[in-house]
Amino acid sequence: MRAELNQRESSSLDAGAPVQLDQSRVGRLSRMAALQAQVISQETDRRRQQQLRAIAIALKAIDEGRYSIGEDCAGTA
């Protein structure tokens, strides 16, 4: 899953790029669509980073032999 998320990240870098607001080149609706796509891309990237952090935490827990213990119960086990 981590490899897949990293691959998606590298393929979606262009979608989060700043939007050109030059009215002579792009119409108003096209700019709005581009801005919306940019926001969606940024949110997707934020969620992907969150998933990657969760995977890293889980892998660390596996390495430390405490994966089966939930974080809420770790202090009472």
Side-chain angles (χ1 to χ4, degrees):
M1 184 176 193
R2 183 171 55 177
E4 182 181 331
L5 289 169
N6 284 328
Q7 182 182 13
R8 287 181 188 174
E9 180 178 19
S10 63
S11 67
S12 69
L13 290 176
D14 291 338
V19 176
Q20 295 293 330
L21 298 177
D22 183 4
Q23 291 184 352
S24 64
R25 292 179 30 190
V26 181
R28 182 172 53 108
L29 293 177
S30 296
R31 284 194 317 278
M32 289 173 60
L35 288 169
Q36 182 179 21
Q38 180 186 34
V39 169
I40 290 170
S41 175
Q42 290 170 345
E43 177 60 18
T44 300
D45 185 52
R46 186 193 67 77
R47 289 181 184 183
R48 185 175 30 252
Q49 293 301 321
Q50 186 177 16
Q51 287 180 313
L52 287 169
R53 283 191 298 275
I55 289 169
I57 290 168
L59 290 173
K60 183 178 178 185
I62 289 170
D63 287 344
E64 294 174 355
R66 58 178 179 82
Y67 182 74
S68 63
I69 301 172
E71 290 297 319
D72 293 337
C73 298
T76 60

